[in-house]
Structure formats: C-alpha cells, structure tokens
Amino acid sequence: MYPLSSSQMGIYAGWAAYPQTTGYNLPAVVPFPCTVDADRLAAAMQQIADMREVLHTRICTDAEGRPCQYADMQMSVVVQRMQTGEYEAQHYIAHDFVRPFAIDGSEPLARFAVIVTPQHHYLLIDIHHIIADGLTIVHSLLGIDLPRAYTSLG
C-alpha cells in the first residue's frame, strides 16, 4: 500500500463529496471498421487489462483512516463483449456505458467493452481519473499497448 498523491487526494475528496459523479471518468470510444477482428480486439484489450497493474488499483484507507492505494492483480478486470444493432450500440455508448465508479475498492476503476454492430466495431474504455490521465489512455493504452497486443495475437 502506498499513499495517494496530492492530485489523487483532490480527486478522492471530490468523489467523497459527490460519489455519483461521472466528472472524474475518462471515457473513450474508438470505432473500428468491420475488417478488424472483434474477437482479437477483445482478446488484445483483455491481455492489456490483465497485465497493467494500474488497471488493478484499489483505493482503501490505512490504519489511520488515510486514503491509500495498491494494485490487486487478483481483481478481475473484464472486457465486456456485445453484439447489437448500430442504434442500440449508440444508445448504450451515450447513455449506459459511462457510469459512476465506486472508488472505495469494491470494483475495478476501469471498464472496457467491445461492441460489434453490422456497421462498426467499437472499443469502449472508461477509466477513473484517480488512476490515470488522458495521456495514459491515448498514448500508452491505445497508441502502444493495443497495437502491440493485437499484432501479437495475429
């Protein structure tokens, strides 16, 4: 276990005041053409979710009641897979995927889904800002990890 950084403490305080907020969620929707193998995409994202410690971060309190964090590699971070119509996918993306996180350690602070429609395949990512920033998602996960994992599964 290690303490939260000062910026993480600010996010924690904001969450404690408004636990139902999605203001600290960092969602991303990445559309892919149907030529991308959806099973391979889901497997690649699952490989990343399984190996990245930051995606297994749990927030807890220490003996003095101070917020702290640790990586729980036993916690399951699952890549959800759905097959649906384009309209239903767009509705799910706009209204259901992004929802408040419980950062009290009871659930993962990252969510992933691959949605397959007749027109597109979508990779959905939602990570709580207490464990990552936008650069982490765009550069590390999408720019480096995902292409590498997808290629390795080919």
Side-chain angles (χ1 to χ4, degrees):
M1 277 197 296
Y2 49 99
L4 301 182
S5 69
S6 60
S7 61
Q8 286 175 309
M9 284 297 289
I11 294 167
Y12 183 86
W15 170 82
Y18 303 100
Q20 291 304 308
T21 186
T22 57
Y24 294 110
N25 291 44
L26 299 173
V29 178
V30 184
F32 290 93
C34 291
T35 54
V36 169
D37 184 328
D39 291 330
R40 195 165 138 198
L41 178 62
M45 199 64 238
Q46 188 64 62
Q47 187 179 84
I48 295 164
D50 291 344
M51 73 171 198
R52 283 284 191 176
E53 281 189 13
V54 69
L55 301 176
H56 294 265
T57 299
R58 285 195 189 265
I59 307 296
C60 57
T61 53
D62 64 16
E64 286 94 39
R66 293 180 302 230
C68 56
Q69 60 188 317
Y70 67 99
D72 179 0
M73 296 307 288
Q74 301 304 310
M75 177 175 54
S76 181
V77 179
V78 177
V79 177
Q80 180 185 6
R81 187 138 190 294
M82 299 170 54
Q83 187 161 355
T84 189
E86 187 69 27
Y87 174 81
E88 294 82 3
Q90 292 299 326
H91 185 272
Y92 179 77
I93 291 167
H95 301 287
D96 298 321
F97 183 68
V98 176
R99 57 193 184 278
F101 283 100
I103 67 169
D104 60 3
S106 62
E107 66 180 38
L109 297 174
R111 295 184 188 108
F112 304 97
V114 172
I115 300 178
V116 175
T117 75
Q119 291 82 13
H120 300 94
H121 297 162
Y122 296 96
L123 172 61
L124 281 57
I125 299 172
D126 192 14
I127 299 177
H128 198 282
H129 188 42
I130 202 161
I131 65 166
D133 58 20
L135 183 61
T136 300
I137 295 168
V138 173
H139 179 69
S140 297
L141 290 182
L142 296 176
I144 298 172
D145 293 346
L146 185 59
R148 185 178 295 152
Y150 187 86
T151 301
S152 76
L153 295 170

